[in-house]
Amino acid sequence: MSNPFVRIVEPLDPKQPLKKFFNLSKLEDVRYARLPFSIRILLEAAIRNCDEFLVKKGDVENILNWKVMQHKNVEVPFKPARVILQDFTGVPAVVDFAAMRDAVKKLGGDPEKINPICPADLVVDHSIQVDFNRQSDSLQKNQDLEFERNKERFEFLKWGSQAFKNLRIIPPGSGIIHQVNLEYLARVMMDQDGYYYPDSVVGTDSHTTMIDGLGVLGWGVGGIEAEAVMLGQPISMVLPEVVGYKLVGSPQPLVTSTDIVLTITKHLRQVGVVGKFVEFFGPGVAQLSIADRATIANMCPEYGATAAYFPVDDVSIGYLIQTGRDKEKVMCTKRYLEAVGMLRDFKNSSQDPDFTQVVELDLHTVVPCCSGPKRPQDKVAVSDMKKDFETCLGAKQGFKGFQIAPDRHNSIVKFNFEGCDFELAHGSVVIAAITSCTNTSNPSVMLGAGLLAKKAVEAGLTVKPYIKTSLSPGSGVVTYYLRESGVMRYLSQLGFDVVGYGCMTCIGNSGPLPESVVEAITQGDLVAVGVLSGNRNFEGRVHPNTRANYLASPPLVIAYAIAGTIRIDFEKEPLGINASGKKIFLKDIWPTRNEIQAVERQFVIPGMFKEVYEKIETVNKSWNALDAPSDKLYTWNPKSTYIKSPPFFDGLTLALQTPKTIENAYVLLSFGDSVTTDHISPAGNIARNSPAARYLTSRGLTPREFNSYGSRRGNDAVMARGTFANIRLVNKFIEKQGPQTIHFPSGEVLDVFDAAERYKQAGHPLIVLAGKEYGAGSSRDWAAKGPFLLGVKAVLAESYERIHRSNLVGMGVIPLQYLPGEDAGILGLTGRERYTIIIPEKLKPQMNVQVKLDTGKTFHAIMRFDTDVELTYFHNGGILNYMIRKMAS
């Protein structure tokens, strides 16, 4: 059927009649001008894609009637303009595409139908580790090691870029996915197939929201959901409420964008925005650069919203020109956005749309701060850091406690490093990393760090040599302006040499600490500290030996590295004493905003961006030299420990099978609140005593060759064994932290994978019990694929993180939720019972189902299939099975 809204199609420029757009102003509906700008983008996509099949006229009406329908839990489809992937989540997506081609061929279809339909970009940024630092050649050594470890993965990705249409690979060493998206990949306006329309994106990384800062609506989805979008399917989403976040006032001179985002993160966590859009407005927005807005949007997952949208304004248009985008296209973008009512003037309050609710922040009230020691929303003013950490030392084990006995708070352990004697104590900084797209995309904080380093060196300050310092910029542009402005050499003198272009420390690729440091930490059972300019500091994520981790601005990362401890009051205590005996305080070396802005105006210029990005796809010689096969079907290597054909489609037929009741399931694990995807599907190194290590050893690998879990996401045998393998896992069945559980038939305590294997061999289904916010953290498809392969049929939790629930649905694992006011404690569940979950023949979204225990107790839970589309996926055994059947038939 033709599009029922074809009547509002017209050319943007009469001189170019073949370049058209859907002119939403011609809807002649007064509701349009009152819609939040983020909802206008959903509306345009629905109108443009309306075919009365995937997208119906009723969907358009529901979005247009947002003010009423936002409270009705109504489902709407959304077709994003493009998809972006990073290599940790991108490799399994390409593996799935390769396996889907095989499956379609087996079912008699054309395997070459399996291709991305919309543009898809994969940025390789998650593979590099900080193995070398504090050396002039650290960058080259780390990149060489990256290729040595990941050659097989990279060859596979290169095959994918040649075998699949519409898939572009940005090679390793180019930068961090979200910064490359911001500076290069984002269009703001799409010009595709003869139509102009708003750029929008979903990505296989939860911090895809960073692009919201440029006015491109985007958010993170699971790898499984992203694959469906790449295959032309719309995302099915509940029409979101939109919280208007009003910014007023101007930041104080010493405040950075990092301080602002950490303040907003804590505030919005308190407001409660899970599952909602946040849209920023008010005169304070005009005070913020695009880099500042992107920093705020980047941490959207940490405050729990789906998107954190800054509509496009003249500052956004100026940024496109500053970053070297084509001027003619930029002006066309502005004309298009003006025509459809999507260009914002934040100083004009008459443009303010309707919101579900409005909350406000006066930027003048923001103070310098950090967040930690275990969660990004736990903001601490810098002036309170010393006192707060010392309180945490003795507090009960938890998000703000380490339960260290009072008589051990001042313990000191002496150790030797490179022939010199040093001391470590609770609060000693052992990792200081300027890392992550959150901050390295922002010239103001990066140049601020550089200017602080310059003043510190000139004042005679140094960083202790055992502290693992590193600088991992999000793009080559950062190195360019740090070098041109003359501050790079001062950063290097303090140990902050460039160690790689990638996420690195922020995702746990922090590399090893010196052995003598690890021994000292272990000997004293010390709460050692990592300070990083990242967006996540969950326990066990940054490094196994840093129990406390604080998020901080790049200048503060350097300050704490110089101090060597978190137990310092910068206002009263000096950073250090120079050779002349003079006390140097932080205020003596902190650069002013005027100083930073003057350097930024001089050195952050369009030519810099053009020079870096013109050669981004060809500059890496190691990538260019890779030899990749040219076949359209991938030839799987049975000896490979990186790339393996997954078993998801084994035995798949064209006929659907009726869902069955889950009978007498055992509980594999019982959790409390805030179990993250880091706990479920860990990143970072593979422990030598883990099931994954035993598997790799059996394949002839040495520990040095294990690499990280993230790098082996293309191998289901490793990832199934890595599921629930986090050393900080807290399972209620076990008295201490660790990746173990009880195998109830035998009573033995086993590694989680080994217990699951025993259950599987005996034919016993499994479930997981959990508390609130199950699956918080990074979007990881293996956090759903892993439990599926372990035999987990359902999860019963108090609440779910949005992306993780979607991923469970995508794998055919049932997300069950306790009824309001109920939980495991109230129902008296121990987890030692056996559970029968009654699955009726006729299912509907969010229906209640009965759960029977072998004790005779029964209760009801909500089956969290939220839409009819999700039920369709469940009936097919998951979203990929659905797509294969569709393509094969």
Side-chain angles (χ1 to χ4, degrees), residues 417 493-494 812:
F417 178 76
Q493 280 180 258
L494 292 179

Side-chain angles (χ1 to χ4, degrees), residues 540-558:
R541 177 184 178 93
V542 174
H543 193 281
N545 295 111
T546 56
R547 284 155 70 185
N549 296 282
Y550 287 91
L551 306 182
S553 66
L556 278 176
V557 170
I558 296 176

Side-chain angles (χ1 to χ4, degrees), residues 252 254-256 259 366-370 379-383 556 590:
Q252 295 182 48
L254 299 182
V255 164
T256 67
D259 303 319
V366 177
V367 298
C369 57
C370 300
K379 184 194 78 161
V380 187
V382 170
S383 56
L556 278 176
W590 194 270

Side-chain angles (χ1 to χ4, degrees), residues 49 196 253 301 357 466 526 567 694 718 761 773 845:
N49 291 294
Y196 295 127
Q357 71 177 111
Y466 62 81
L526 298 177
R567 297 169 83 170
R694 292 197 291 274
V718 173
Q761 287 163 9
E773 296 181 340

Side-chain angles (χ1 to χ4, degrees), residues 691-718:
R694 292 197 291 274
Y695 167 79
L696 292 171
T697 301
S698 74
R699 299 298 300 269
L701 273 65
T702 64
R704 184 178 175 276
E705 298 169 305
F706 286 172
N707 209 333
S708 64
Y709 279 110
S711 67
R712 294 192 180 273
R713 284 187 182 182
N715 185 324
D716 63 272
V718 173

Side-chain angles (χ1 to χ4, degrees), residues 41-55:
I41 293 172
L42 299 185
L43 178 67
E44 191 282 338
I47 286 174
R48 179 167 35 85
N49 291 294
C50 189
D51 59 0
E52 289 296 353
F53 175 57
L54 288 173
V55 183

Side-chain angles (χ1 to χ4, degrees), residues 403-724:
Q403 210 162 333
I404 303 295
D407 62 343
R408 292 185 45 240
H409 284 198
N410 296 312
S411 297
I412 288 173
V413 179
K414 297 180 187 294
F415 70 103
N416 188 277
F417 178 76
E418 295 182 346
C420 297
D421 292 329
F422 296 97
E423 294 179 347
L424 283 186
H426 294 297
S428 289
V429 173
V430 295
I431 290 177
I434 298 175
T435 182
S436 171
C437 50
T438 311
N439 285 291
T440 68
S441 60
N442 196 325
S444 66
V445 292
M446 295 303 289
L447 287 167
L451 291 170
L452 183 139
K454 179 176 184 289
K455 292 183 177 190
V457 169
E458 289 170 347
L461 297 176
T462 59
V463 175
K464 292 182 177 69
Y466 62 81
I467 296 176
K468 187 157 194 180
T469 46
S470 60
L471 167 59
S472 50
S475 81
V477 174
V478 180
T479 309
Y480 204 137
Y481 65 66
L482 290 177
R483 191 173 57 238
E484 291 295 303
S485 61
V487 298
M488 191 71 240
R489 64 190 180 100
Y490 297 103
L491 288 162
S492 295
Q493 280 180 258
L494 292 179
F496 290 91
D497 300 275
V498 174
V499 294
Y501 296 95
C503 302
M504 303 188 89
T505 299
C506 188
I507 58 163
N509 286 2
S510 46
L513 287 173
E515 282 188 25
S516 58
V517 172
V518 173
E519 287 169 6
I521 292 169
T522 306
Q523 180 188 332
D525 191 25
L526 298 177
V527 180
V529 175
V531 184
L532 64 153
S533 63
N535 48 39
R536 294 240 163 110
N537 55 343
F538 298 127
E539 195 174 11
R541 177 184 178 93
V542 174
H543 193 281
N545 295 111
T546 56
R547 284 155 70 185
N549 296 282
Y550 287 91
L551 306 182
S553 66
L556 278 176
V557 170
I558 296 176
Y560 279 114
I562 293 168
T565 180
I566 216 80
R567 297 169 83 170
I568 181 173
D569 183 337
F570 287 129
E571 293 176 10
K572 298 173 184 174
E573 300 172 64
L575 274 176
I577 299 170
N578 68 12
S580 307
K582 183 186 175 185
K583 292 179 178 179
I584 308 295
F585 287 84
L586 181 57
K587 64 185 178 184
D588 300 329
I589 61 170
W590 194 270
T592 66
R593 178 167 292 157
N594 287 340
E595 283 179 271
I596 295 168
Q597 288 175 344
V599 176
E600 186 175 347
R601 278 193 298 270
Q602 185 177 352
F603 293 104
V604 184
I605 55 176
M608 196 175 278
F609 290 88
K610 278 185 178 174
E611 186 176 331
V612 168
Y613 284 113
E614 272 175 357
K615 54 193 179 185
I616 193 169
E617 292 178 55
T618 56
V619 74
N620 192 314
K621 292 176 183 176
S622 299
W623 176 266
N624 297 339
L626 288 175
D627 185 27
S630 57
D631 302 334
K632 296 299 181 183
L633 290 174
Y634 188 69
T635 305
W636 306 96
N637 178 2
K639 294 180 181 178
S640 174
T641 56
Y642 278 104
I643 306 297
K644 179 177 174 290
S645 181
F648 306 134
F649 315 125
D650 291 355
L652 185 66
T653 62
L654 284 172
L656 292 182
Q657 293 184 347
T658 307
K660 295 177 182 175
T661 288
I662 299 168
E663 295 191 17
N664 285 316
Y666 282 99
V667 177
L668 180 63
L669 295 147
S670 178
F671 296 126
D673 297 340
S674 297
V675 170
T676 71
T677 50
D678 286 327
H679 293 112
I680 305 168
S681 174
N685 294 327
I686 296 170
R688 295 188 182 193
N689 61 345
S690 65
R694 292 197 291 274
Y695 167 79
L696 292 171
T697 301
S698 74
R699 299 298 300 269
L701 273 65
T702 64
R704 184 178 175 276
E705 298 169 305
F706 286 172
N707 209 333
S708 64
Y709 279 110
S711 67
R712 294 192 180 273
R713 284 187 182 182
N715 185 324
D716 63 272
V718 173
M719 294 309 293
R721 287 164 173 80
T723 303
F724 299 116

